[in-house]
Amino acid sequence: MKRLFVALLLSLAICLLGEVVEITFWHNMTNPVERESIAGAVAEFSKTHPNIKVNIVIVPGSETEITKLMTAVAGGTGPDVYYLDRFTVAQRAAYGVLEPLEDYLVQLGYDAIKLKGEFFNFAIEECQWNNKIWALPWDTDNRALYYNKKLFKEAGLDPDKPPVTLKELETYAEKLTKKTAGRYTQVGFIPWAFQGWHYTWGWAFGGNFYDTQSQKLIFADDPRIVKAFEWLGEWAKKYNIKELEAFVSSFGMSFSGASIGGAEPINPFLAGKLAMVVDGNWLLAQIKQLAPKDFEFGIAPIPAPEYGEKNSTWAGGWSLVIPKGAKHPKEAAEFIYYMATKGQIKYAADTQHLPTLREAVPGLLKVSPPEQKIFADLLPTAHVRPVIPVGALLWDELTNAMQAVIYGEKSATEALKTAQEKVQKELDKWLTK
């Protein structure tokens, strides 16, 4: 009887609100746990919004691949809601690929200022361009130092005292490194491996990459960024970059963790051969699935020099946007708001992905392993990559600069200057439009 009453109420609501509007939602989450959580959130949305029907379409693709979206938009068959790497929101907004989400949210009666406060600062900052909201944040991640407690004990180190300073990291790495017949059989630490990117160490050293007031890239002129790159170069020279490369490739992967040679790679940290590594919270799931049952590990903030930034980390993640030309942008905005709030609370608990909505953190921690709290505690102060329309180019050029330094091809000063000049030139083109 109660269900019949609810159904009658919903039918009445639909009659009062008009015809049902169908919107299409593209996302690329093929993992069954993630896919089912999304479907469940959409079903919940449908119960409270009977005038909006959401059609889910899974469109596999990479973080920056939007060719399918652009083709569909050009042909008038694009989605109303799209799942976009948050790192690229500013770039897509500047290129005119997105609808201004904030305009539709305001039309629906949402307070944009209040809404911004519901998310962690780093996440909502990535969703804005020219002082306007173009996306709402979805999940996120961040980075810390993982270390092997068993190898610590074997090396005479206290497994409950991970390195805090850069000097301690260097000392520990020496004690944890082993070589036989000129080849590494165990390595203490490789700073640039996995998530040890330019941003990781630049921020840990206390440096800045971009000045938002002047809209200028400043990393080549920041002595702390230069020092970070010099430190990477010194490490590569001390341990011999080619020998470290041979060690990592023997596990079927590159320094970034990408597979090489076609074989299934083995993570040297999980294999107990790399004692410490900077990696993201997603490694927790891999440890649970792939590491030996007696694998003992600890997690700690990324070590920093005395003058650097303590508890430094940076975050990435995804967002929800309305592509240009969407047929029902207002209904799409209503759906995005729901998914970024109530939907995200459910998604965090279902998948154990770190949320960008502050309210979703307690629910996540209730169902997560205790190590997840370390990453959750780092969220309020996490950095994000500069929010500029040439963010992808900046990433590539910083990566090229870091490669040039660790392989001894350029000095840190020269490599950073080359990268800064190239990217600033492209950024200036956008700023003068």
Side-chain angles (χ1 to χ4, degrees):
M1 190 64 185
K2 184 178 179 182
R3 288 184 177 178
L4 178 61
F5 179 68
V6 172
L8 287 172
L9 281 179
L10 291 177
S11 298
L12 178 61
I14 292 172
C15 291
L16 292 173
L17 293 171
E19 294 183 359
V20 173
V21 172
E22 291 193 26
I23 63 172
T24 303
F25 171 32
W26 282 15
H27 72 73
N28 63 6
M29 288 171 275
T30 54
N31 178 293
V33 175
E34 298 170 358
R35 189 178 65 234
E36 289 171 15
S37 179
I38 290 289
V42 169
E44 291 297 319
F45 173 79
S46 298
K47 291 178 183 176
T48 54
H49 299 76
N51 59 317
I52 303 175
K53 180 182 178 184
V54 181
N55 297 314
I56 301 174
V57 179
I58 297 177
V59 183
S62 66
E63 287 85 345
T64 56
E65 172 58 59
I66 62 165
T67 304
K68 292 174 184 173
L69 173 66
M70 298 300 293
T71 302
V73 168
T77 59
D80 298 284
V81 178
Y82 187 75
Y83 184 70
L84 182 68
D85 190 324
R86 200 166 55 245
F87 163 56
T88 65
V89 167
Q91 185 165 343
R92 305 310 177 203
Y95 276 68
V97 177
L98 307 180
E99 292 282 351
L101 176 60
E102 181 170 330
D103 292 353
Y104 296 106
L105 291 171
V106 170
Q107 288 178 33
L108 290 166
Y110 293 109
D111 182 334
I113 295 176
K114 181 175 179 293
L115 184 61
K116 291 177 185 176
E118 295 179 22
F119 298 93
F120 289 110
N121 293 339
F122 72 85
I124 197 67
E125 284 174 9
E126 278 192 314
C127 292
Q128 299 176 74
W129 172 245
N130 275 348
N131 299 315
K132 183 168 283 191
I133 298 172
W134 295 85
L136 284 184
W138 186 240
D139 62 349
T140 190
D141 52 43
N142 60 34
R143 289 131 184 91
L145 180 79
Y146 288 76
Y147 64 99
N148 186 313
K149 290 191 172 184
K150 181 181 177 184
L151 297 185
F152 267 46
K153 294 174 192 172
E154 291 177 356
L157 298 169
D158 187 336
D160 296 320
K161 290 185 177 179
V164 176
T165 67
L166 213 61
K167 185 60 69 179
E168 288 176 341
L169 178 67
E170 293 168 356
T171 302
Y172 284 30
E174 284 184 7
K175 292 183 177 180
L176 290 159
T177 298
K178 296 179 180 177
K179 218 171 185 182
T180 301
R183 299 184 65 178
Y184 287 116
T185 55
Q186 178 178 302
V187 172
F189 185 62
I190 305 174
W192 54 87
F194 297 90
Q195 289 298 303
W197 293 102
H198 28 72
Y199 284 122
T200 305
W201 295 111
W203 281 316
F205 273 69
N208 291 307
F209 289 86
Y210 180 66
D211 182 74
T212 55
Q213 295 299 317
S214 65
Q215 297 183 310
K216 295 292 183 184
L217 294 162
I218 57 174
F219 54 83
D221 307 305
D222 188 323
R224 297 190 178 196
I225 301 288
V226 175
K227 184 62 181 172
F229 272 59
E230 288 176 344
W231 177 74
L232 291 171
E234 290 163 4
W235 196 290
K237 188 175 181 180
K238 176 180 178 180
Y239 286 95
N240 192 318
I241 182 75
K242 291 294 184 184
E243 292 182 16
L244 289 176
E245 190 176 68
F247 169 78
V248 173
S249 64
S250 69
F251 294 90
M253 59 174 52
S254 66
F255 284 127
S256 68
S259 175
I260 58 173
E264 184 69 27
I266 299 171
N267 187 318
F269 177 69
L270 302 188
K273 296 300 180 183
L274 181 59
M276 300 181 286
V277 66
V278 172
D279 213 333
N281 56 297
W282 57 82
L283 186 60
L284 290 173
Q286 294 178 35
I287 291 173
K288 185 177 180 181
Q289 294 174 8
L290 304 174
K293 292 190 181 302
D294 60 349
F295 190 73
E296 297 179 66
F297 71 99
I299 304 173
I302 297 168
E306 297 290 347
Y307 55 81
E309 180 180 287
K310 304 296 183 290
N311 300 327
S312 177
T313 192
W314 61 277
W318 296 81
S319 65
L320 298 170
V321 299
I322 306 175
K324 198 72 175 177
K327 295 181 179 64
H328 305 291
K330 195 170 180 180
E331 288 78 8
E334 186 73 70
F335 174 66
I336 287 175
Y337 174 78
Y338 179 91
M339 292 298 286
T341 52
K342 292 181 180 177
Q344 189 176 173
I345 292 172
K346 171 179 168 53
Y347 186 76
D350 289 347
T351 66
Q352 297 188 24
H353 281 224
L354 285 174
T356 54
L357 185 75
R358 297 175 189 273
E359 185 184 352
V361 173
L364 166 71
L365 295 180
K366 282 183 182 177
V367 298
S368 298
E371 294 85 1
Q372 187 76 281
K373 189 174 186 306
I374 295 172
F375 293 99
D377 289 344
L378 291 171
L379 284 177
T381 56
H383 291 278
V384 289
R385 290 160 282 190
V387 183
I388 55 177
V390 290
L393 176 64
L394 174 57
W395 174 275
D396 291 342
E397 291 306 317
L398 283 172
T399 302
N400 291 339
M402 186 175 78
Q403 293 289 319
V405 171
I406 64 176
Y407 280 95
E409 298 164 359
K410 290 182 180 178
S411 69
T413 302
E414 180 187 6
L416 288 166
K417 184 179 179 184
T418 301
Q420 181 167 297
E421 289 178 351
K422 181 175 181 178
V423 183
Q424 186 67 53
K425 184 178 179 181
E426 293 303 312
L427 177 60
D428 289 342
K429 292 178 182 177
W430 281 103
L431 298 177
T432 54
K433 284 185 177 180

